[in-house]
Amino acid sequence: MLMTILALAWPTMLEQFMQTAVQYIDTAMVGSLGTRAMAAVGSTGTVNWLIGSTISAVGVGFLAYIAKAFGAGEETAAKRAVSQAVLITLILGIFFTAVTVSLSGMVPVWMQVDVNIREMASQYFLILYLPMLPRTASIIFGTVLRSAGDTKSPMKIGVLVNLINVVLNFLLIYPAREISLFSLRLQVWGAGLGVIGAAAASAIAFTAGGICITYVLWKHPVVSPRGQGFSPDMQILRPCLKVAFPNMLQRFGTSLGYVAFAAMINSLGETSTAAHTIANTVESAFYIPGYGMQTAAATLAGNAYGARDGRRMKDLASVFIPLEMILMICSGACLFFTAPGLMRLFSASDEVIRLGTSVLRMVAVSEPFYGFSIIIEGFMMGVGRTKTPFVYNITGMWLVRIVGTFICTQLLGLGLIFAWACMIAHNLLLFVLFFICYVRGVWNPLSTSVQTG
């Protein structure tokens, strides 16, 4: 079982590592342009979470359905679900393109971005969201492939997307210049577009990724939608959306909370915005073990549920939970000790480095607790129990993080450290709630003691 878990998890971890590495490179490249450029790029980043997580929630609905179908040996039903995933991808991609493009001028205003950088932030946002259809395809089709046990194809495409992004960043952000390569002096072409160049590089890379993953899905020997109808099939969509809807509300609600959280931090000034943006980027690398394992947990739990194998479900928990806790303890310790050096990679400002280091060391201590929550939530997504995580996450986000941050920053005049303290309190509350959920057996629909959840 351990080998099966690792075989599913490592490609997802590598894919997320590559994505995070590119985030690091993007942040470092934009950071070299100055604090204002960093603030312009980071100020609307939480809107990306809002949109991306909403789309991902739809993918969770298909993941639960397809993983369960494969576990029960119903491959035809799984393929029919993939064709419906294609239909939903088209609808969501077109819808979010229209919404993001039409609102690109207003988003920086709603996010309380400094008036001096609003135009730059608006242009960055507009370019980044023009390829919303291929971005939607990458998210949903990637989830479909993982639900069938294919985590390597999304990983390979993710590597390609990241390489394209890095190369284009190098060419589009900076002007023409001379670089040293060993003993050689080379003249390198550059467009000198700055923040706009970073947005264009990401947009082109997203488009390439969407095209590639659509091709891979279409040619896939197990889950290709070829030969299936693409008209709405409510027998498939109804159970998928039943799982997806609570998860969508959860992700939308928590992501909207991230937007409110970031808006309050933006109101603290450029230094806090830059420190928050960099710290978020740094922190994301250290959640890779957690979310890589969550994907494997969701897929294997869905398979076990489809096969009605209660013993296997319990065995999965007995392996996943200690493995996840060990990984997140190591990850948190690494973040704690490397925080100052990592902050220096992205900023030359002593104040930004000091502030970012403080909040990163605070959150590092809470990582093992958050890792437990991630795994239990993964099990519940895989078996289609998304209502309970919705209640837990919305409660923690809005009653602890947002209310707490509002009181600290807007009423008491406190700074970024107190805002992140509220975020950590949110994570610890999730640990308590999911631990109770685990002890009661609510996470497991095959438990003889729990029939609903």
Side-chain angles (χ1 to χ4, degrees), residues 137-203:
S138 294
I139 295 171
I140 294 182
F141 294 168
T143 302
V144 166
L145 291 169
R146 294 185 193 98
S147 68
D150 182 2
T151 54
K152 292 184 179 179
S153 294
M155 176 198 71
K156 292 174 182 177
I157 293 169
V159 170
L160 175 64
V161 169
N162 293 332
L163 289 175
I164 293 172
N165 195 16
V166 170
V167 171
L168 291 180
N169 270 342
F170 187 75
L171 296 175
L172 298 180
I173 292 176
Y174 305 110
R177 61 212 178 277
E178 189 177 71
I179 63 171
S180 297
L181 183 63
F182 302 109
S183 60
L184 299 176
R185 304 288 293 179
L186 301 175
Q187 192 69 27
V188 177
W189 178 87
L193 297 176
V195 169
I196 302 305
S202 297

Short mmCIF file of all heavy atoms in Angstrom, two decimals, residues 137-203:
data_model
loop_
_atom_site.label_atom_id
_atom_site.label_comp_id
_atom_site.label_asym_id
_atom_site.label_seq_id
_atom_site.Cartn_x
_atom_site.Cartn_y
_atom_site.Cartn_z
N ALA A 137 -9.18 24.11 -18.70
CA ALA A 137 -8.90 22.75 -19.19
C ALA A 137 -7.76 22.11 -18.40
O ALA A 137 -7.83 20.93 -18.04
CB ALA A 137 -8.54 22.80 -20.68
N SER A 138 -6.72 22.87 -18.11
CA SER A 138 -5.59 22.32 -17.35
C SER A 138 -6.04 21.84 -15.97
O SER A 138 -5.62 20.78 -15.50
CB SER A 138 -4.50 23.38 -17.20
OG SER A 138 -3.92 23.69 -18.45
N ILE A 139 -6.90 22.61 -15.31
CA ILE A 139 -7.33 22.26 -13.96
C ILE A 139 -8.24 21.03 -13.96
O ILE A 139 -8.00 20.05 -13.25
CB ILE A 139 -8.05 23.45 -13.30
CG1 ILE A 139 -7.07 24.61 -13.10
CG2 ILE A 139 -8.67 23.03 -11.97
CD1 ILE A 139 -7.75 25.90 -12.66
N ILE A 140 -9.30 21.07 -14.78
CA ILE A 140 -10.29 19.99 -14.74
C ILE A 140 -9.76 18.72 -15.39
O ILE A 140 -9.90 17.61 -14.84
CB ILE A 140 -11.61 20.44 -15.41
CG1 ILE A 140 -12.24 21.57 -14.58
CG2 ILE A 140 -12.57 19.26 -15.53
CD1 ILE A 140 -13.57 22.06 -15.11
N PHE A 141 -9.11 18.84 -16.55
CA PHE A 141 -8.59 17.63 -17.21
C PHE A 141 -7.47 17.00 -16.40
O PHE A 141 -7.31 15.78 -16.39
CB PHE A 141 -8.11 17.97 -18.63
CG PHE A 141 -9.22 18.40 -19.56
CD1 PHE A 141 -8.92 18.97 -20.79
CD2 PHE A 141 -10.54 18.25 -19.22
CE1 PHE A 141 -9.93 19.38 -21.65
CE2 PHE A 141 -11.57 18.65 -20.07
CZ PHE A 141 -11.25 19.22 -21.30
N GLY A 142 -6.67 17.83 -15.73
CA GLY A 142 -5.63 17.28 -14.86
C GLY A 142 -6.24 16.46 -13.73
O GLY A 142 -5.74 15.38 -13.39
N THR A 143 -7.33 16.95 -13.15
CA THR A 143 -8.01 16.22 -12.08
C THR A 143 -8.62 14.92 -12.60
O THR A 143 -8.57 13.88 -11.93
CB THR A 143 -9.12 17.10 -11.46
OG1 THR A 143 -8.54 18.30 -10.96
CG2 THR A 143 -9.82 16.37 -10.33
N VAL A 144 -9.18 14.97 -13.80
CA VAL A 144 -9.75 13.76 -14.42
C VAL A 144 -8.67 12.69 -14.59
O VAL A 144 -8.88 11.52 -14.26
CB VAL A 144 -10.40 14.11 -15.77
CG1 VAL A 144 -10.69 12.85 -16.57
CG2 VAL A 144 -11.68 14.90 -15.56
N LEU A 145 -7.51 13.08 -15.10
CA LEU A 145 -6.43 12.12 -15.30
C LEU A 145 -5.96 11.53 -13.97
O LEU A 145 -5.71 10.33 -13.86
CB LEU A 145 -5.26 12.78 -16.03
CG LEU A 145 -5.52 13.17 -17.50
CD1 LEU A 145 -4.40 14.05 -18.03
CD2 LEU A 145 -5.67 11.92 -18.36
N ARG A 146 -5.85 12.37 -12.95
CA ARG A 146 -5.40 11.87 -11.64
C ARG A 146 -6.43 10.93 -11.02
O ARG A 146 -6.07 9.98 -10.33
CB ARG A 146 -5.14 13.05 -10.69
CG ARG A 146 -3.97 13.92 -11.11
CD ARG A 146 -3.68 15.00 -10.08
NE ARG A 146 -2.79 16.01 -10.62
CZ ARG A 146 -3.18 17.17 -11.13
NH1 ARG A 146 -4.48 17.49 -11.13
NH2 ARG A 146 -2.31 18.02 -11.63
N SER A 147 -7.71 11.20 -11.25
CA SER A 147 -8.76 10.33 -10.69
C SER A 147 -8.70 8.93 -11.27
O SER A 147 -9.18 7.98 -10.66
CB SER A 147 -10.14 10.95 -10.93
OG SER A 147 -10.47 10.92 -12.32
N ALA A 148 -8.12 8.81 -12.47
CA ALA A 148 -7.96 7.50 -13.10
C ALA A 148 -6.60 6.88 -12.77
O ALA A 148 -6.23 5.85 -13.32
CB ALA A 148 -8.11 7.63 -14.62
N GLY A 149 -5.86 7.53 -11.87
CA GLY A 149 -4.56 7.01 -11.45
C GLY A 149 -3.39 7.48 -12.29
O GLY A 149 -2.25 7.05 -12.07
N ASP A 150 -3.63 8.35 -13.27
CA ASP A 150 -2.55 8.87 -14.11
C ASP A 150 -2.10 10.23 -13.58
O ASP A 150 -2.67 11.27 -13.92
CB ASP A 150 -3.03 9.01 -15.57
CG ASP A 150 -1.93 9.50 -16.50
OD1 ASP A 150 -0.79 9.70 -16.03
OD2 ASP A 150 -2.21 9.70 -17.70
N THR A 151 -1.10 10.21 -12.72
CA THR A 151 -0.56 11.47 -12.19
C THR A 151 0.67 11.93 -12.97
O THR A 151 1.13 13.06 -12.78
CB THR A 151 -0.20 11.31 -10.71
OG1 THR A 151 0.69 10.19 -10.56
CG2 THR A 151 -1.44 11.08 -9.86
N LYS A 152 1.21 11.05 -13.83
CA LYS A 152 2.43 11.41 -14.56
C LYS A 152 2.17 12.37 -15.72
O LYS A 152 2.97 13.26 -15.99
CB LYS A 152 3.12 10.15 -15.06
CG LYS A 152 3.69 9.28 -13.95
CD LYS A 152 4.44 8.08 -14.49
CE LYS A 152 5.01 7.24 -13.34
NZ LYS A 152 5.73 6.04 -13.85
N SER A 153 1.05 12.18 -16.42
CA SER A 153 0.77 13.06 -17.58
C SER A 153 0.60 14.52 -17.16
O SER A 153 1.23 15.41 -17.75
CB SER A 153 -0.47 12.57 -18.33
OG SER A 153 -0.24 11.32 -18.92
N PRO A 154 -0.22 14.83 -16.13
CA PRO A 154 -0.29 16.22 -15.68
C PRO A 154 1.06 16.75 -15.21
O PRO A 154 1.37 17.92 -15.39
CB PRO A 154 -1.30 16.17 -14.52
CG PRO A 154 -2.12 14.97 -14.78
CD PRO A 154 -1.19 13.98 -15.41
N MET A 155 1.87 15.87 -14.59
CA MET A 155 3.19 16.29 -14.14
C MET A 155 4.06 16.72 -15.32
O MET A 155 4.70 17.78 -15.29
CB MET A 155 3.88 15.16 -13.39
CG MET A 155 5.32 15.46 -12.97
SD MET A 155 6.26 13.95 -12.57
CE MET A 155 6.47 13.23 -14.22
N LYS A 156 4.09 15.91 -16.37
CA LYS A 156 4.93 16.21 -17.53
C LYS A 156 4.49 17.52 -18.20
O LYS A 156 5.33 18.34 -18.59
CB LYS A 156 4.87 15.06 -18.54
CG LYS A 156 5.52 13.78 -18.05
CD LYS A 156 5.31 12.64 -19.03
CE LYS A 156 5.91 11.33 -18.51
NZ LYS A 156 5.64 10.19 -19.44
N ILE A 157 3.19 17.70 -18.30
CA ILE A 157 2.68 18.93 -18.92
C ILE A 157 2.99 20.13 -18.02
O ILE A 157 3.35 21.21 -18.50
CB ILE A 157 1.17 18.81 -19.19
CG1 ILE A 157 0.93 17.75 -20.26
CG2 ILE A 157 0.59 20.15 -19.64
CD1 ILE A 157 -0.51 17.35 -20.43
N GLY A 158 2.89 19.91 -16.71
CA GLY A 158 3.25 20.99 -15.79
C GLY A 158 4.69 21.41 -15.91
O GLY A 158 5.02 22.60 -15.86
N VAL A 159 5.58 20.44 -16.10
CA VAL A 159 7.00 20.76 -16.30
C VAL A 159 7.18 21.59 -17.57
O VAL A 159 7.92 22.59 -17.59
CB VAL A 159 7.84 19.47 -16.37
CG1 VAL A 159 9.26 19.77 -16.83
CG2 VAL A 159 7.85 18.76 -15.02
N LEU A 160 6.49 21.20 -18.65
CA LEU A 160 6.58 21.94 -19.91
C LEU A 160 6.08 23.38 -19.75
O LEU A 160 6.73 24.33 -20.21
CB LEU A 160 5.75 21.23 -20.99
CG LEU A 160 5.64 21.96 -22.34
CD1 LEU A 160 7.02 22.08 -22.99
CD2 LEU A 160 4.66 21.22 -23.27
N VAL A 161 4.94 23.53 -19.09
CA VAL A 161 4.38 24.87 -18.86
C VAL A 161 5.36 25.74 -18.09
O VAL A 161 5.58 26.92 -18.42
CB VAL A 161 3.04 24.77 -18.11
CG1 VAL A 161 2.58 26.14 -17.63
CG2 VAL A 161 1.97 24.14 -19.00
N ASN A 162 5.97 25.17 -17.09
CA ASN A 162 6.90 25.93 -16.26
C ASN A 162 8.15 26.34 -17.03
O ASN A 162 8.65 27.46 -16.86
CB ASN A 162 7.28 25.11 -15.02
CG ASN A 162 6.11 24.91 -14.09
OD1 ASN A 162 5.21 25.74 -14.03
ND2 ASN A 162 6.08 23.82 -13.37
N LEU A 163 8.65 25.44 -17.87
CA LEU A 163 9.83 25.78 -18.67
C LEU A 163 9.53 26.92 -19.64
O LEU A 163 10.33 27.85 -19.81
CB LEU A 163 10.30 24.54 -19.44
CG LEU A 163 10.96 23.43 -18.61
CD1 LEU A 163 11.25 22.21 -19.47
CD2 LEU A 163 12.24 23.94 -17.96
N ILE A 164 8.35 26.85 -20.27
CA ILE A 164 7.95 27.92 -21.19
C ILE A 164 7.85 29.24 -20.44
O ILE A 164 8.32 30.29 -20.92
CB ILE A 164 6.60 27.58 -21.86
CG1 ILE A 164 6.76 26.37 -22.80
CG2 ILE A 164 6.06 28.78 -22.64
CD1 ILE A 164 5.44 25.86 -23.35
N ASN A 165 7.27 29.20 -19.26
CA ASN A 165 7.07 30.41 -18.47
C ASN A 165 8.41 31.05 -18.09
O ASN A 165 8.60 32.26 -18.20
CB ASN A 165 6.28 30.06 -17.21
CG ASN A 165 5.72 31.29 -16.51
OD1 ASN A 165 5.67 32.37 -17.08
ND2 ASN A 165 5.31 31.12 -15.28
N VAL A 166 9.34 30.21 -17.63
CA VAL A 166 10.65 30.74 -17.22
C VAL A 166 11.40 31.36 -18.39
O VAL A 166 11.95 32.47 -18.29
CB VAL A 166 11.49 29.63 -16.57
CG1 VAL A 166 12.93 30.09 -16.36
CG2 VAL A 166 10.89 29.21 -15.24
N VAL A 167 11.43 30.66 -19.52
CA VAL A 167 12.15 31.17 -20.68
C VAL A 167 11.54 32.48 -21.17
O VAL A 167 12.26 33.46 -21.45
CB VAL A 167 12.15 30.12 -21.82
CG1 VAL A 167 12.71 30.73 -23.12
CG2 VAL A 167 12.97 28.90 -21.42
N LEU A 168 10.22 32.53 -21.26
CA LEU A 168 9.57 33.75 -21.72
C LEU A 168 9.72 34.89 -20.71
O LEU A 168 9.84 36.06 -21.09
CB LEU A 168 8.09 33.48 -22.02
CG LEU A 168 7.82 32.59 -23.23
CD1 LEU A 168 6.33 32.38 -23.42
CD2 LEU A 168 8.43 33.18 -24.50
N ASN A 169 9.70 34.58 -19.42
CA ASN A 169 9.99 35.60 -18.41
C ASN A 169 11.34 36.24 -18.67
O ASN A 169 11.50 37.46 -18.62
CB ASN A 169 9.98 34.98 -17.01
CG ASN A 169 8.62 35.01 -16.36
OD1 ASN A 169 7.74 35.76 -16.78
ND2 ASN A 169 8.43 34.21 -15.33
N PHE A 170 12.32 35.39 -18.89
CA PHE A 170 13.69 35.85 -19.10
C PHE A 170 13.79 36.78 -20.31
O PHE A 170 14.53 37.76 -20.30
CB PHE A 170 14.59 34.62 -19.31
CG PHE A 170 16.05 34.94 -19.39
CD1 PHE A 170 16.77 35.26 -18.25
CD2 PHE A 170 16.72 34.90 -20.61
CE1 PHE A 170 18.13 35.55 -18.32
CE2 PHE A 170 18.07 35.18 -20.69
CZ PHE A 170 18.77 35.51 -19.54
N LEU A 171 12.97 36.47 -21.33
CA LEU A 171 13.04 37.26 -22.58
C LEU A 171 12.13 38.48 -22.56
O LEU A 171 12.46 39.50 -23.18
CB LEU A 171 12.67 36.38 -23.77
CG LEU A 171 13.61 35.20 -24.05
CD1 LEU A 171 13.06 34.35 -25.19
CD2 LEU A 171 15.02 35.70 -24.41
N LEU A 172 10.99 38.40 -21.88
CA LEU A 172 9.99 39.47 -21.98
C LEU A 172 10.08 40.50 -20.85
O LEU A 172 9.73 41.67 -21.07
CB LEU A 172 8.58 38.87 -21.99
CG LEU A 172 8.25 37.94 -23.17
CD1 LEU A 172 6.83 37.42 -23.06
CD2 LEU A 172 8.45 38.66 -24.50
N ILE A 173 10.55 40.11 -19.68
CA ILE A 173 10.59 41.05 -18.56
C ILE A 173 11.71 42.07 -18.72
O ILE A 173 11.52 43.27 -18.55
CB ILE A 173 10.74 40.31 -17.22
CG1 ILE A 173 9.47 39.51 -16.90
CG2 ILE A 173 11.02 41.29 -16.08
CD1 ILE A 173 9.57 38.66 -15.64
N TYR A 174 12.89 41.57 -19.09
CA TYR A 174 14.08 42.42 -19.09
C TYR A 174 14.40 42.97 -20.48
O TYR A 174 14.04 42.35 -21.49
CB TYR A 174 15.29 41.64 -18.58
CG TYR A 174 15.08 41.03 -17.22
CD1 TYR A 174 14.95 39.65 -17.07
CD2 TYR A 174 14.97 41.83 -16.09
CE1 TYR A 174 14.74 39.09 -15.82
CE2 TYR A 174 14.76 41.28 -14.84
CZ TYR A 174 14.65 39.90 -14.71
OH TYR A 174 14.43 39.35 -13.47
N PRO A 175 15.11 44.08 -20.57
CA PRO A 175 15.54 44.61 -21.87
C PRO A 175 16.73 43.82 -22.41
O PRO A 175 17.27 42.94 -21.71
CB PRO A 175 15.96 46.06 -21.54
CG PRO A 175 16.38 45.99 -20.10
CD PRO A 175 15.48 44.98 -19.45
N ALA A 176 17.13 44.12 -23.64
CA ALA A 176 18.32 43.48 -24.22
C ALA A 176 19.53 43.77 -23.32
O ALA A 176 19.70 44.87 -22.82
CB ALA A 176 18.56 44.01 -25.62
N ARG A 177 20.35 42.75 -23.12
CA ARG A 177 21.48 42.90 -22.21
C ARG A 177 22.58 41.91 -22.54
O ARG A 177 22.35 40.95 -23.29
CB ARG A 177 21.02 42.69 -20.77
CG ARG A 177 20.44 41.30 -20.51
CD ARG A 177 19.35 41.34 -19.45
NE ARG A 177 18.73 40.04 -19.22
CZ ARG A 177 17.76 39.54 -19.96
NH1 ARG A 177 17.31 40.20 -21.02
NH2 ARG A 177 17.23 38.37 -19.68
N GLU A 178 23.70 42.11 -21.93
CA GLU A 178 24.84 41.21 -22.09
C GLU A 178 24.97 40.37 -20.83
O GLU A 178 24.93 40.89 -19.71
CB GLU A 178 26.13 42.00 -22.32
CG GLU A 178 27.31 41.12 -22.71
CD GLU A 178 28.56 41.95 -23.00
OE1 GLU A 178 29.15 42.50 -22.05
OE2 GLU A 178 28.92 42.07 -24.18
N ILE A 179 25.10 39.05 -21.00
CA ILE A 179 25.24 38.17 -19.84
C ILE A 179 26.54 37.38 -19.96
O ILE A 179 27.10 37.23 -21.06
CB ILE A 179 24.05 37.19 -19.73
CG1 ILE A 179 24.00 36.25 -20.94
CG2 ILE A 179 22.75 37.94 -19.57
CD1 ILE A 179 23.00 35.13 -20.79
N SER A 180 27.01 36.88 -18.82
CA SER A 180 28.23 36.07 -18.78
C SER A 180 27.84 34.60 -18.63
O SER A 180 27.06 34.25 -17.74
CB SER A 180 29.11 36.49 -17.60
OG SER A 180 29.54 37.81 -17.75
N LEU A 181 28.37 33.75 -19.50
CA LEU A 181 28.15 32.32 -19.41
C LEU A 181 29.52 31.66 -19.43
O LEU A 181 30.16 31.57 -20.48
CB LEU A 181 27.28 31.83 -20.57
CG LEU A 181 26.91 30.35 -20.56
CD1 LEU A 181 26.06 30.03 -19.32
CD2 LEU A 181 26.16 29.96 -21.83
N PHE A 182 29.96 31.24 -18.24
CA PHE A 182 31.32 30.75 -18.05
C PHE A 182 32.29 31.87 -18.48
O PHE A 182 32.29 32.93 -17.90
CB PHE A 182 31.54 29.45 -18.83
CG PHE A 182 30.59 28.35 -18.42
CD1 PHE A 182 29.58 27.93 -19.26
CD2 PHE A 182 30.70 27.76 -17.16
CE1 PHE A 182 28.71 26.93 -18.88
CE2 PHE A 182 29.82 26.77 -16.76
CZ PHE A 182 28.82 26.35 -17.62
N SER A 183 33.08 31.66 -19.51
CA SER A 183 34.03 32.70 -19.93
C SER A 183 33.51 33.50 -21.12
O SER A 183 34.21 34.37 -21.64
CB SER A 183 35.37 32.06 -20.29
OG SER A 183 35.21 31.12 -21.35
N LEU A 184 32.27 33.21 -21.54
CA LEU A 184 31.72 33.87 -22.72
C LEU A 184 30.85 35.05 -22.33
O LEU A 184 30.19 35.04 -21.30
CB LEU A 184 30.88 32.86 -23.53
CG LEU A 184 31.61 31.63 -24.07
CD1 LEU A 184 30.61 30.70 -24.75
CD2 LEU A 184 32.71 32.04 -25.06
N ARG A 185 30.84 36.07 -23.15
CA ARG A 185 29.96 37.23 -23.00
C ARG A 185 28.95 37.18 -24.14
O ARG A 185 29.31 37.25 -25.31
CB ARG A 185 30.75 38.53 -23.06
CG ARG A 185 31.88 38.64 -22.04
CD ARG A 185 31.35 38.85 -20.64
NE ARG A 185 30.70 40.14 -20.49
CZ ARG A 185 30.14 40.54 -19.36
NH1 ARG A 185 30.13 39.75 -18.29
NH2 ARG A 185 29.58 41.74 -19.29
N LEU A 186 27.67 37.02 -23.80
CA LEU A 186 26.63 36.85 -24.80
C LEU A 186 25.64 38.00 -24.76
O LEU A 186 25.26 38.47 -23.69
CB LEU A 186 25.87 35.54 -24.57
CG LEU A 186 26.70 34.25 -24.59
CD1 LEU A 186 25.83 33.06 -24.22
CD2 LEU A 186 27.34 34.05 -25.96
N GLN A 187 25.23 38.45 -25.95
CA GLN A 187 24.20 39.47 -26.06
C GLN A 187 22.84 38.78 -26.15
O GLN A 187 22.61 37.96 -27.04
CB GLN A 187 24.44 40.34 -27.30
CG GLN A 187 23.60 41.60 -27.36
CD GLN A 187 24.00 42.62 -26.31
OE1 GLN A 187 25.15 42.64 -25.88
NE2 GLN A 187 23.08 43.47 -25.90
N VAL A 188 21.95 39.09 -25.22
CA VAL A 188 20.65 38.43 -25.16
C VAL A 188 19.55 39.43 -25.50
O VAL A 188 19.52 40.54 -24.95
CB VAL A 188 20.40 37.83 -23.75
CG1 VAL A 188 19.01 37.21 -23.67
CG2 VAL A 188 21.46 36.80 -23.42
N TRP A 189 18.64 39.01 -26.39
CA TRP A 189 17.51 39.88 -26.74
C TRP A 189 16.54 39.95 -25.57
O TRP A 189 16.34 38.98 -24.83
CB TRP A 189 16.79 39.32 -27.96
CG TRP A 189 15.57 40.12 -28.34
CD1 TRP A 189 15.54 41.21 -29.15
CD2 TRP A 189 14.22 39.90 -27.92
NE1 TRP A 189 14.25 41.69 -29.26
CE2 TRP A 189 13.42 40.90 -28.51
CE3 TRP A 189 13.62 38.96 -27.09
CZ2 TRP A 189 12.05 40.97 -28.32
CZ3 TRP A 189 12.25 39.03 -26.89
CH2 TRP A 189 11.48 40.03 -27.49
N GLY A 190 15.93 41.09 -25.40
CA GLY A 190 14.92 41.23 -24.36
C GLY A 190 13.90 42.29 -24.75
O GLY A 190 14.26 43.31 -25.36
N ALA A 191 12.62 42.05 -24.40
CA ALA A 191 11.56 42.99 -24.77
C ALA A 191 11.46 44.16 -23.79
O ALA A 191 10.92 45.21 -24.13
CB ALA A 191 10.22 42.26 -24.84
N GLY A 192 11.95 43.96 -22.55
CA GLY A 192 11.92 45.04 -21.57
C GLY A 192 10.51 45.46 -21.16
O GLY A 192 10.28 46.62 -20.88
N LEU A 193 9.58 44.49 -21.07
CA LEU A 193 8.19 44.83 -20.78
C LEU A 193 7.86 44.84 -19.29
O LEU A 193 6.75 45.21 -18.90
CB LEU A 193 7.26 43.82 -21.49
CG LEU A 193 7.33 43.81 -23.02
CD1 LEU A 193 6.43 42.72 -23.57
CD2 LEU A 193 6.93 45.17 -23.58
N GLY A 194 8.79 44.42 -18.45
CA GLY A 194 8.57 44.46 -17.01
C GLY A 194 7.41 43.58 -16.57
O GLY A 194 7.30 42.42 -16.95
N VAL A 195 6.52 44.15 -15.76
CA VAL A 195 5.37 43.41 -15.22
C VAL A 195 4.48 42.88 -16.33
O VAL A 195 3.96 41.75 -16.25
CB VAL A 195 4.56 44.32 -14.27
CG1 VAL A 195 3.23 43.70 -13.91
CG2 VAL A 195 5.37 44.60 -13.00
N ILE A 196 4.30 43.65 -17.39
CA ILE A 196 3.47 43.20 -18.52
C ILE A 196 4.10 41.98 -19.19
O ILE A 196 3.41 41.05 -19.62
CB ILE A 196 3.30 44.34 -19.55
CG1 ILE A 196 2.67 45.56 -18.87
CG2 ILE A 196 2.46 43.89 -20.74
CD1 ILE A 196 1.36 45.29 -18.18
N GLY A 197 5.42 41.96 -19.27
CA GLY A 197 6.12 40.81 -19.83
C GLY A 197 5.91 39.56 -19.00
O GLY A 197 5.74 38.46 -19.53
N ALA A 198 5.90 39.72 -17.66
CA ALA A 198 5.65 38.58 -16.78
C ALA A 198 4.24 38.02 -17.00
O ALA A 198 4.03 36.79 -17.04
CB ALA A 198 5.82 39.00 -15.32
N ALA A 199 3.26 38.90 -17.18
CA ALA A 199 1.89 38.46 -17.43
C ALA A 199 1.78 37.74 -18.78
O ALA A 199 1.13 36.70 -18.89
CB ALA A 199 0.94 39.66 -17.40
N ALA A 200 2.43 38.30 -19.81
CA ALA A 200 2.37 37.69 -21.14
C ALA A 200 3.02 36.31 -21.14
O ALA A 200 2.52 35.36 -21.76
CB ALA A 200 3.06 38.60 -22.15
N ALA A 201 4.15 36.17 -20.43
CA ALA A 201 4.83 34.88 -20.35
C ALA A 201 3.92 33.83 -19.72
O ALA A 201 3.80 32.71 -20.22
CB ALA A 201 6.12 35.03 -19.55
N SER A 202 3.26 34.19 -18.63
CA SER A 202 2.35 33.25 -17.96
C SER A 202 1.16 32.90 -18.84
O SER A 202 0.74 31.74 -18.91
CB SER A 202 1.86 33.85 -16.64
OG SER A 202 2.93 34.06 -15.74
N ALA A 203 0.61 33.89 -19.54
CA ALA A 203 -0.55 33.65 -20.40
C ALA A 203 -0.21 32.67 -21.53
O ALA A 203 -0.99 31.76 -21.83
CB ALA A 203 -1.06 34.97 -20.97
#
